[in-house]
Amino acid sequence: MQELALRSELDFNSETYKDAYSRINAIVIEGEQEAYQNYLDMVHMLPKNKDELVRLSKMENRHKTGFQACGKNLNVIPDMQYAKEFFSQLHENFQIAKNEKKVVTCLLIQALIIEAFAIAAYNIYIPVADPFARKITENVVKDEYKHLNFGEVWLGENFESSKIELEEANKTNLPIVWKMLNEVEQDASILGMEKEALVEDFMISYGEALGNIGFSTREIMRMSSHGLRA
Ligand code: Y39
Ligand code: FE
Ligand code: FE
Ligand code: FE
């Protein structure tokens, strides 16, 4: 009941909504653009997976176009400068890993952390989105599960040789996600998305992925607790 009442208060054309949307929409567009580039960058590190990586990167590019249309539909101009800064730490860590040819770290950042973040954001957004954006986001989120799965499968097949690097990359990058969630909390709430729900959905996807890769429950709990105090 309370949830219904809150939802009916969303006015997609209000200045408050559009102002928050100019940042969240930009974050999503920038995220899709970086994801596109990240999958292409991984082709050089995983030449055997070239065709699949190119296919994933093309999906990300389509997602970007879809979300640009969502902004236009609401007459919102995305604040791309804000979004670039929002992603800068993860972007930088991906670039460092790429230059050091640390493919495991690249996969953890893009295919696990960013994909789990995308899945959480899109799942929580769908029920509160405007009808135009809802349709687009419903199709996008299906692809994001495929991207997460790509990371899970590769890292699962290479679990023993990846384990130490995964734990280290988790320790470095998970706190950044908590920072990003805190930063976006207020704008997300204006769009009807609560931080608690985002955190819960993120942890489910991320924790399940770690389990599928081969980590024990105990290891998943330890890895998940990193950065929780950020
Ligand atoms: O793999 C992907 O498509 C990921 C790039 C997209 C990132 C989406 C990040 C969403 C965060 C939005 C936070 C709003 C609450
Ligand atoms: Fe995407
Ligand atoms: Fe760059
Ligand atoms: Fe993706």
Side-chain angles (χ1 to χ4, degrees):
M1 276 310 266
Q2 203 201 351
E3 217 175 344
L4 273 178
L6 281 172
R7 277 178 202 178
S8 65
E9 281 167 30
L10 289 179
D11 176 357
F12 305 123
N13 297 307
S14 71
E15 285 313 311
T16 312
Y17 189 93
K18 285 170 40 170
D19 175 60
Y21 206 85
S22 73
R23 285 179 295 278
I24 303 271
N25 183 233
I27 286 171
V28 169
I29 292 167
E30 175 65 22
E32 296 295 353
Q33 167 63 33
E34 295 204 18
Y36 163 80
Q37 191 58 53
N38 290 349
Y39 282 112
L40 281 186
D41 284 345
M42 284 192 268
V43 169
H44 309 294
M45 291 179 263
L46 299 172
K48 282 187 206 152
N49 301 84
K50 180 180 178 190
D51 292 350
E52 191 165 12
L53 286 165
V54 168
R55 207 165 55 80
L56 301 188
S57 85
K58 282 181 182 159
M59 289 185 211
E60 305 294 22
N61 202 45
R62 277 197 298 274
H63 299 169
K64 180 178 107 171
T65 313
F67 289 124
Q68 283 172 326
C70 294
K72 282 202 187 86
N73 179 56
L74 292 180
N75 259 308
V76 166
I77 296 166
D79 185 344
M80 297 311 296
Q81 188 53 47
Y82 171 85
K84 263 203 182 326
E85 277 159 33
F86 182 81
F87 273 107
S88 61
Q89 278 187 289
L90 282 185
H91 176 85
E92 210 171 294
N93 286 352
F94 186 94
Q95 299 311 310
I96 293 168
K98 179 180 102 179
N99 293 334
E100 293 176 350
K101 304 209 168 15
K102 290 173 93 170
V103 67
V104 170
T105 301
C106 288
L107 281 169
L108 179 119
I109 292 174
Q110 175 59 49
L112 301 187
I113 285 190
I114 298 182
E115 297 296 349
F117 196 16
I119 287 169
Y122 300 160
N123 277 338
I124 303 307
Y125 178 53
I126 285 167
V128 293
D130 66 81
F132 181 87
R134 183 177 305 170
K135 262 196 215 86
I136 286 175
T137 311
E138 278 168 349
N139 284 312
V140 168
V141 77
K142 290 178 200 155
D143 289 342
E144 308 302 3
Y145 282 104
K146 295 176 201 156
H147 303 171
L148 181 67
N149 185 257
F150 173 81
E152 280 173 6
V153 169
W154 195 94
L155 292 166
E157 284 170 357
N158 298 273
F159 182 55
E160 285 312 321
S161 59
S162 306
K163 204 173 171 191
I164 292 171
E165 189 178 326
L166 279 173
E167 287 177 351
E168 194 179 287
N170 172 79
K171 205 169 189 166
T172 308
N173 291 288
L174 198 55
I176 299 173
V177 176
W178 300 130
K179 254 186 64 184
M180 291 163 87
L181 272 163
N182 285 334
E183 200 183 315
V184 86
E185 177 176 8
Q186 206 193 334
D187 284 331
S189 138
I190 290 169
L191 269 49
M193 306 159 74
E194 291 310 322
K195 185 187 161 193
E196 288 68 28
L198 291 166
V199 170
E200 181 183 317
D201 208 276
F202 173 84
M203 282 320 306
I204 289 171
S205 297
Y206 188 59
E208 267 181 15
L210 294 177
N212 292 338
I213 288 166
F215 285 103
S216 70
T217 305
R218 188 185 182 86
E219 289 167 329
I220 296 169
M221 293 297 161
R222 184 163 43 75
M223 289 169 78
S224 302
S225 73
H226 286 132
L228 270 181
R229 287 163 303 275

